[in-house]
Amino acid sequence: DAGITQSPRHKVTETGTPVTLRCHQTENHRYMYWYRQDPGHGLRLIHYSYGVKDTDKGEVSDGYSVSRSKTEDFLLTLESATSSQTSVYFCAISHSNQPQHFGDGTRLSIL
Amino acid sequence: AQTVTQSQPEMSVQEAETVTLSCTYDTSENNYYLFWYKQPPSRQMILVIRQEAYKQQNATENRFSVNFQKAAKSFSLKISDSQLGDTAMYFCAFMKPLRLSGTYKYIFGTGTRLKVLA
């Protein structure tokens, strides 16, 4: 299995609080991605990174920011969490044109 | 814009039977890749099979095979000798290179929930 660790695995928080999810990889892959998974929508891309400090928006980036200060870590931040951001969040990594490999997901509940 | 459509939200199949999951996509690209991922109740996303658009031969992986029809933009997954462990959500995904950033864009379908019955 690809070395991808997401933390935390589960989190419950309140509306308006900041939340940071972490994705850590040991594969030295260049590309890292954050998705959210919601019923009826499949996986939707939030942000992605193509190198250290190189990031770009995906299709559902509003309300989210990311940072990548080193190859192995890709952080997703919800500056002020809203109930609409309750979801399962997946990190994925890839190398060149190879398939993405996914972390185990983070279930985030915002009350 | 690229889209991926999985028109079967749910399917069921008897153990040991064969089932086919449908996927269609829309693109004007010529260079792209297609994948099927499996998501069991454990929530893990597991790569099942991969197909390069430039290859005419359909990909196979043990009991899993695809029927890739490039002109029709169709990419169906056939599971033979279905097993209880095949019960999962299956996602079809499309990937193409983005020339400007040198990265790759992935688009996922909404998934088909497959239940294998004993």
Side-chain angles (χ1 to χ4, degrees), chain A residues 9-10 30-31 33 35 37 40-43 48 50 88 90 94 96-100 102 104-107, chain B residues 33 35 37 39 42-45 47 50 89 91 95 98 101-111:
Chain A
R9 292 296 314 279
H10 306 273
R30 177 182 177 187
Y31 305 107
Y33 307 79
Y35 293 90
Q37 182 179 19
H41 290 279
L43 279 82
Y48 65 97
Y50 47 96
V88 178
F90 283 95
S94 69
S96 184
N97 64 352
Q98 299 304 303
Q100 289 180 319
F102 289 82
D104 290 338
T106 295
R107 183 175 296 279
Chain B
Y33 302 79
F35 309 96
Y37 282 89
Q39 187 180 42
S42 65
R43 202 170 72 196
Q44 289 178 296
M45 289 287 289
L47 177 68
R50 163 193 177 149
M89 181 76 88
F91 291 98
M95 185 266 274
L98 296 177
S101 65
T103 187
Y104 297 84
K105 180 176 182 179
Y106 294 78
I107 299 170
F108 287 82
T110 53

Side-chain angles (χ1 to χ4, degrees), chain A residues 21-45:
Chain A
L21 308 182
R22 181 183 184 230
C23 179
H24 178 78
Q25 60 146 329
T26 58
E27 305 296 318
N28 201 35
H29 284 351
R30 177 182 177 187
Y31 305 107
M32 299 185 76
Y33 307 79
W34 276 108
Y35 293 90
R36 60 178 290 173
Q37 182 179 19
D38 304 289
H41 290 279
L43 279 82
R44 293 181 292 174
L45 180 65

Side-chain angles (χ1 to χ4, degrees), chain B residues 55-112:
Chain B
K55 288 187 177 179
Q56 292 186 338
Q57 186 172 5
N58 289 324
T60 63
E61 286 289 343
N62 301 314
R63 297 182 295 107
F64 298 88
S65 61
V66 298
N67 183 4
F68 174 49
Q69 302 289 329
K70 189 172 183 179
K73 297 179 183 174
S74 171
F75 182 59
S76 61
L77 175 70
K78 185 171 84 171
I79 306 174
S80 304
D81 185 25
S82 297
Q83 300 175 0
L84 296 177
D86 295 334
T87 292
M89 181 76 88
Y90 287 82
F91 291 98
C92 177
F94 167 97
M95 185 266 274
K96 71 162 191 175
L98 296 177
R99 296 177 191 87
L100 288 180
S101 65
T103 187
Y104 297 84
K105 180 176 182 179
Y106 294 78
I107 299 170
F108 287 82
T110 53
T112 295

Side-chain angles (χ1 to χ4, degrees), chain B residues 6-12 21 89 111-115:
Chain B
Q6 294 180 248
S7 58
Q8 306 150 314
E10 293 186 357
M11 294 186 73
S12 62
L21 309 183
M89 181 76 88
T112 295
R113 188 174 301 279
L114 176 67
K115 187 169 185 178

